[in-house]
Structure formats: C-alpha cells, structure tokens
Amino acid sequence: MISTMGISPLPDGRERYASGVDRQDPYLRVLCVNIFVRDQDRSLRFYVDQLGFGLVIDESYESGSRWVAVAPPDGNTVLALVTPKRKSEEYKLIGHCRNTVLVTEDVMAKFDEWQRRGVRFHHPPQTTLWGGIFTRFEDLDGNSFSLVGKDDFVREIEAERRVAAEKLEAERRMAQELHIAKQVQARLFPQTLPQLKTLEYAGICRQAREVGGDYYDFLNLGRERLGLVIGDTSGKGIGAALLMANLQANLRSQSAIALDQPQRFLRSVNQLFYENTTDSAYATLFFAEYDDEARSLRYVNCGHYPPVLLRSDNTLERLDSTSTVLGLFREWDCLVADLQLFPGDTLALYTDGITDSFNDGGEDFGEERLIEALRRHRELPSRSILAAVVEEVRQFSPHDQHDDITLIVAKCTGNECPGTSPVPAESTDKNRTPR
C-alpha cells in the first residue's frame, strides 16, 4: 500500500523519502492524479504492460470499492485508476482527461517503444517553438496524455526538483545521524549509581539540541569513595558533543589514579584534552571525591560555576575555583580543597544552562533563584529536588531552551560522625583547606 509519510515504496524496490525530516512546517506533495476509466483491470494491463508503469496499490474494501494506483518507473507520479458509478458526474469524465504531462529524456525512443506495444499516438514527436519536443497519446478510454522531452525549460524544472530532493535527503541523513549521536551520548552519562551509606545523590542533563556539551558523571573510585563530576565544554551542538565525549573518555580512563593522586589525575586529563582538541577548545570542570565513611569532600574546581553547599542550619557556602579551565594550556596545575559534610547538608553542582536561562524580559534565572529553590525543596529526595528545580527553570523561561541544563544534587544523610558537628557560619573557611 502506498505510504503518505516517511518512506514510500517504488515499483522497482527502491525507497523514496516523501517528506523532509524535522521540518517545522508540514510537508506538502501531490499524492495522486485521478484517471477515470471504465474497467480497472483492463486499464491496469495497459499502464503496466504497454507503458511500463509499476503497480503501487490494488486494494478492495468491504464497501465494494477498489483502489488501484500505478506509477512510472521513477515513482514520482502516482495515477489512481478510478471506475466511477454509472450515471454519476465522474462517469461523464471518462476519456476527458487532457492535462496530464509526462516527461522523458528521449521522446523518440519512448515513442518507438510504446508504439510497438500498441499505444495510440495523436502524431509523431514534434518540435515546439521553444525548442522542446512532444507528442500526445491516449489510453484505452480516450484519456489523453502529453509526452514531452527535456527542453531547457523542463531541464530547469528537473534540476530544481533534484536540488530539492537532495536537500530533503541531506536533512533526513542529518536527522538520522543526530538521532544516533543522541543515543550514543546518552550512554556516556552514568547508567548506574554506586550505593553509599551517607550520601544520597542524583543527576540530570536536559540538552537544548539533539546533542550538547554538558557532562556529568559519578565515578566509583573504590574504597567507599565516589567521584562527582560536572563540566561544560566550549561550543554548541555536534562540536561540543565531540569535546564532551573526549573529556568523558579522558576522565574515565585516568580515574584509577584519582583517589590517591587527584592533582596528577587532573593534570593527565588536561594534557590529553589539550593534545586531542583544537587550540580554542576548552572545558570547565568540577571534580570532587567523596569519602562515604568520613563524609569528607576533596574537590578541584577548574573554572566552573561554583557549586553551592546549603548547610543544615541554612547557611550557604560556595565551592570557588581552585584552577583554570582544562584544555587551553599545556602547562597546567591545580589546588585541591577539603570540605566536611554533615547530615542535612545539600550540595548542588550545576551548569550555566540553569542560571543563564532568561525570561521574556531578558532577566536571568540566576544563582539566587537556584538557591531559593534548593531551600524550598531541601526536604525532598535528591531526584525530586532535581525535577522541582528544572521545572522552576522551565516556568521561568518557557520559550525554547537555549543551553543545556545540567544539575547534580547530593544530600548528606545518616547519623553524625563521632566528634563532629555542623560548622558555624563564621568558621566555614577554616573547614575548607586548599592544598
């Protein structure tokens, strides 16, 4: 049966894509031209056996009606052979079709071929005033068709048609490749979450396009240690996605040394990223190692937006940069900072897709709105906090998403470690020690 969307079959088994992919406006094309005939079987044999058309559909329905359609070898035109009821207005139209025009590269060759098969022509091929060549023939019911050769005018139309078809095919391939890239990139995000006793955490990434440059990860570092990672690569779309994949591969391949030598680990990541990307490529990155037993956090902030730590007593800390971005400099180093977490503390790592989202008035969502949202929803599980914050961003910025939105929320849980207590607001800097 002929397909009106997506891929439609051609008589020779090839496939034709009937519409552009990912178009914003609905596609439009001619489905078929009705040719009124007295006997569908008799006409079908004429079009298939004498003209060399292919059968596209021959289907009968419970009502007693039948739909028969044929198409020339290239499949671009479909003719529906319709047998109207006697005494109907359509029945009077049998044999009166005069406006269907077929085009071929060689009118004389097609004329000779069809004439040998018994097709009735009005006259031999003739040259037109504009330099083309044409003839006319009739089907078994007297419906008349024009057969024209490729003069300059027809060649121009055909060239435009080919360009349009090539564009649609390029769009289809691009959409297919982006769909595959999206599936591949989705597998780069963490598929499983290592279980911890004292930290409940979750992450989310909503990309603005099919693929993007934001990255988050949860690395099992062994010895009850978890690596929390969030990053943002330069650029947009496919280019940023390739950088993101490069960064993810570097981080995971080098993570074995992260536990004992975090500075060496990140120096190695920077070196690989620097050597394997263009001069202008870079990434911001926040990497933290969480000790599940001690509830301690060691982190390096490589030019990334400062994560926010909402303490159980509602005080706030920012985990500021300890080094510059990755990938721009061959000679690169970083400082490692220490931090103690306590039950009830909530840590949020995010990318600029959250804070830079803007409303119709051009106002950014900003860090303060993010912090207030975290405060409002801090009693919820991490996954629910993620959903609530992203929904607030969506309501604040209801138009099309302009940047990737990535967020990690981690909540310290369980009983307090012996001998520890929440850090008073005035002494928080003493508990974060760069090294």
Side-chain angles (χ1 to χ4, degrees):
M1 184 172 182
I2 189 170
S3 169
T4 60
M5 293 276 297
I7 304 174
S8 55
L10 296 182
D12 62 358
R14 292 179 292 122
E15 292 179 336
R16 175 183 69 255
Y17 287 83
S19 63
V21 181
D22 283 354
R23 288 177 53 135
Q24 297 301 312
D25 55 320
Y27 81 93
L28 179 67
R29 70 180 180 90
V30 175
L31 175 62
C32 66
V33 175
N34 289 336
I35 305 295
F36 295 106
V37 300
R38 293 181 178 84
D39 186 316
Q40 287 173 312
D41 287 322
R42 180 168 169 264
S43 293
L44 180 60
R45 289 193 296 272
F46 170 79
Y47 283 94
V48 172
D49 297 340
Q50 293 182 253
L51 298 186
F53 281 33
L55 176 64
V56 176
I57 183 173
D58 185 352
E59 187 164 327
S60 299
Y61 302 96
E62 293 181 359
S63 62
S65 60
R66 178 185 177 196
W67 189 18
V68 178
V70 295
D74 73 350
N76 288 332
T77 304
V78 175
L79 302 182
L81 306 180
V82 180
T83 301
K85 294 182 179 180
R86 291 183 178 275
K87 298 182 180 180
S88 66
E89 291 298 318
E90 289 81 4
Y91 192 84
K92 299 175 183 178
L93 299 177
I94 295 175
H96 290 278
C97 175
R98 296 289 184 272
N99 300 317
T100 304
V101 179
L102 303 177
V103 64
T104 181
E105 292 178 333
D106 192 332
V107 174
M108 287 301 303
K110 192 61 67 176
F111 171 80
D112 292 338
E113 175 190 348
W114 286 356
Q115 194 173 48
R116 287 194 301 270
R117 295 181 182 178
V119 177
R120 295 176 296 174
F121 284 89
H122 292 191
H123 53 75
Q126 298 176 355
T127 302
T128 66
L129 295 176
W130 56 87
I133 184 171
F134 86 104
T135 184
R136 297 184 68 84
F137 68 92
E138 292 182 356
D139 68 2
L140 301 179
D141 293 289
N143 295 301
S144 181
F145 298 82
S146 295
L147 179 66
V148 302
K150 288 193 173 181
D151 56 27
D152 291 341
F153 174 71
V154 173
R155 278 193 292 269
E156 182 178 344
I157 293 176
E158 284 292 291
E160 292 179 359
R161 185 191 64 80
R162 282 195 300 271
V163 169
E166 290 169 359
K167 181 181 178 182
L168 291 178
E169 176 64 9
E171 290 175 352
R172 182 198 67 80
R173 289 181 179 177
M174 176 61 72
Q176 184 180 39
E177 291 170 1
L178 283 174
H179 179 68
I180 294 172
K182 182 176 183 178
Q183 291 179 316
V184 171
Q185 189 173 49
R187 300 294 300 176
L188 299 182
F189 292 111
Q191 303 301 304
T192 59
L193 277 62
Q195 293 297 310
L196 300 178
K197 296 179 295 184
T198 64
L199 194 72
E200 187 254 326
Y201 61 96
I204 189 173
C205 177
R206 286 194 174 179
Q207 293 160 330
R209 305 183 183 183
E210 289 289 327
V211 292
D214 275 15
Y215 168 55
Y216 80 93
D217 213 343
F218 303 121
L219 305 176
N220 190 343
L221 303 179
R223 306 209 305 255
E224 298 183 332
R225 311 292 174 86
L226 174 73
L228 300 166
V229 182
I230 193 167
D232 189 359
T233 58
S234 56
K236 303 287 185 185
I238 289 291
L242 292 174
L243 290 178
M244 178 271 206
N246 186 303
L247 179 62
Q248 188 256 19
N250 293 339
L251 281 162
R252 290 197 175 181
S253 65
Q254 302 295 310
S255 63
I257 62 174
L259 185 59
D260 297 318
Q261 304 177 69
Q263 289 167 297
R264 179 188 166 199
F265 161 60
L266 289 171
R267 282 198 297 268
S268 179
V269 170
N270 176 77
Q271 181 179 356
L272 289 171
F273 197 63
Y274 176 85
E275 291 174 352
N276 295 325
T277 57
T278 60
D279 291 343
S280 59
Y282 68 91
T284 66
L285 181 78
F286 181 90
F287 170 79
E289 171 221 314
Y290 179 75
D291 185 331
D292 193 27
E293 185 67 27
R295 296 192 182 93
S296 62
L297 195 76
R298 291 194 301 173
Y299 69 87
V300 176
N301 186 338
C302 309
H304 194 75
Y305 276 57
V308 292
L309 176 60
L310 188 61
R311 294 291 189 179
S312 58
D313 63 357
N314 215 32
T315 57
L316 183 76
E317 299 178 35
R318 293 177 178 84
L319 282 57
D320 294 319
S321 292
T322 62
S323 73
T324 189
V325 299
L326 298 173
L328 283 183
F329 308 103
R330 182 185 296 275
E331 299 299 326
W332 183 93
D333 208 345
C334 63
L335 294 175
V336 179
D338 294 322
L339 193 67
Q340 184 68 49
L341 295 185
F342 301 96
D345 290 350
T346 301
L347 176 66
L349 288 61
Y350 63 95
T351 61
D352 57 358
I354 289 183
T355 51
D356 290 358
S357 292
F358 54 89
N359 60 17
D360 293 335
E363 184 180 10
D364 289 344
F365 186 78
E367 185 193 59
E368 288 304 315
R369 285 188 176 86
L370 170 61
I371 293 169
E372 290 306 313
L374 292 171
R375 285 191 167 121
R376 279 193 299 274
H377 305 294
R378 64 184 305 165
E379 301 302 324
L380 298 175
S382 296
R383 190 172 298 277
S384 298
I385 296 176
L386 291 177
V389 172
V390 171
E391 177 60 20
E392 289 199 22
V393 173
R394 189 195 66 79
Q395 292 182 4
F396 179 83
S397 181
H399 45 67
D400 290 342
Q401 187 178 326
H402 290 277
D403 202 356
D404 300 339
I405 291 176
T406 307
L407 177 65
I408 291 175
V409 172
K411 298 180 65 177
C412 190
T413 63
N415 298 323
E416 294 183 2
C417 294
T420 63
S421 60
V423 182
E426 62 271 16
S427 62
T428 54
D429 288 342
K430 296 179 182 178
N431 208 57
R432 187 191 307 133
T433 309
R435 301 189 300 180

